[in-house]
Amino acid sequence: MTTQAPAPVPWLRLFPAGSYAGRSHALLLRSATASGRAWLAFVSGFFEPVFYLIAMGQGLGSLVGMLPGPDGAPISYAAFIAPGLLAASAMNGAVFDATFNVFFKLKYGRLYEAMLATPLGPVDIALGEIGWALIRGGLYALGFLSVMAGFGLLVSPWALLALPAALVVAFAFAAVGMAATSFMRSWQDFDLVTLAILPMFLFSTTFYPLSVYPRWLQIVVECLPLFHAVELMRGLTTGVVHLGMLGHLAYFVVMIAVGVTVASRRLDVLLLR
């Protein structure tokens, strides 16, 4: 009796042949072990959005007053900026882990070259590192959600979906961040990361509604990934849920697909050829 070989997984056809061994979880275990020795640096990124929430939401908010929410109903300034800071927490935790840490391991630690001597392929490495960056961004988001709950800024049961949404956002930024890191040549190139992250943080309706911008700038802002994350979080935390949110999720699904594919192919080029 002859046996048939298992059918190939369709999505693996996007990647170089033989580049996936199904062992990406090994990198998650390694990252968790390594982070246990530097836990203070790991958790420090959680505090930045909390400081923004206290300083601007509670301080500046007393001067700003009420702002229109996603459905036009007035909400407090703290309730307006908190979802944006939640999205930024997921973004920052994922991006900086998938860029600075990955670059050091790739260019200086040479860890990936050693990993490829084991039953691991470039796709395993890409998924493992992106997965750890996703976990870091998700932990930041979970911590900030707890702070929002403490301030009474979660007013809808739909807020329970904010954490899964934050994981999708973190996954997307981690995938694109690692793909971009594979093209970087030196530490000076990381100025471009700051150049991309800081304007997104300031302009993606984190602190002000989209209506304050002129129309041409509104179009630019609507193309930014953090804008879609902020809109998604703001709708969930305030309970204004509609079908348009599926468009925001689709945006991040595309980011994930492109980021994972490019990162895997670039690692194949950098490490195996």
Side-chain angles (χ1 to χ4, degrees), residues 99-202:
T99 54
F100 290 94
N101 288 345
V102 168
F103 184 79
F104 176 81
K105 295 174 185 176
L106 180 64
K107 297 293 185 179
Y108 295 92
R110 303 291 183 183
L111 293 180
Y112 299 145
E113 294 179 358
M115 291 177 184
L116 290 178
T118 69
L120 289 173
V123 176
D124 296 286
I125 294 174
L127 291 178
E129 292 292 4
I130 291 171
W132 180 249
L134 182 157
I135 291 174
R136 184 170 182 174
L139 289 175
Y140 285 1
L142 177 61
F144 192 76
L145 273 171
S146 302
V147 172
M148 290 178 64
F151 279 99
L153 299 175
L154 301 179
V155 297
S156 169
W158 286 105
L160 294 173
L161 295 179
L163 181 58
L167 292 176
V168 174
V169 171
F171 194 174
F173 278 105
V176 172
M178 186 171 184
T181 302
S182 67
F183 291 94
M184 294 181 182
R185 299 159 297 178
S186 67
W187 290 110
Q188 284 72 27
D189 290 339
F190 281 90
D191 291 340
L192 299 175
V193 176
T194 304
L195 185 62
I197 295 299
L198 184 58
M200 274 201 297
F201 177 62
L202 295 176

Side-chain angles (χ1 to χ4, degrees), residues 11 38 57 74 83 95 107 117 140 236 257:
W11 63 270
V95 165
K107 297 293 185 179
Y140 285 1
L236 291 173

